[in-house]
Amino acid sequence: MPTYAYACTSCGHAFDAVQSFTEDALTLCPECGGALRKQYGSIGVTFNGSGFYRTDSRSGAGATAGSSASSKSESSTSAKPAPAAAPASS
């Protein structure tokens, strides 16, 4: 079950409450009976695995692709096509 942070708008009392998704939000402060508001904070997100960062896909792949493309173009221009095979005689 998730934990929600609440703060009182009257007295400033802050506390956490463990509630299910289906429960209504708390509206009254347990200290003074004033109005409560939910506090929203940033959550930590962790991406595991490769491909999530800019350097994962660009540092090695870009240099390798550029050098292999230039070597392919040189080899394809210098290579000669194989001679056609002579037809079989019957």
Side-chain angles (χ1 to χ4, degrees), residues 13-70:
H13 174 68
F15 63 97
D16 294 338
V18 178
Q19 296 176 294
S20 71
F21 290 110
T22 57
E23 287 183 55
D24 291 333
L26 300 177
T27 56
L28 296 176
C29 176
E31 297 288 318
C32 70
L36 287 177
R37 63 178 171 83
K38 274 189 182 179
Q39 292 183 321
Y40 296 98
S42 61
I43 58 169
V45 177
T46 304
F47 296 105
N48 293 326
S50 62
F52 289 106
Y53 297 99
R54 185 176 195 168
T55 56
D56 284 347
S57 61
R58 298 198 181 189
S59 64
T64 307
S67 63
S68 66
S70 62

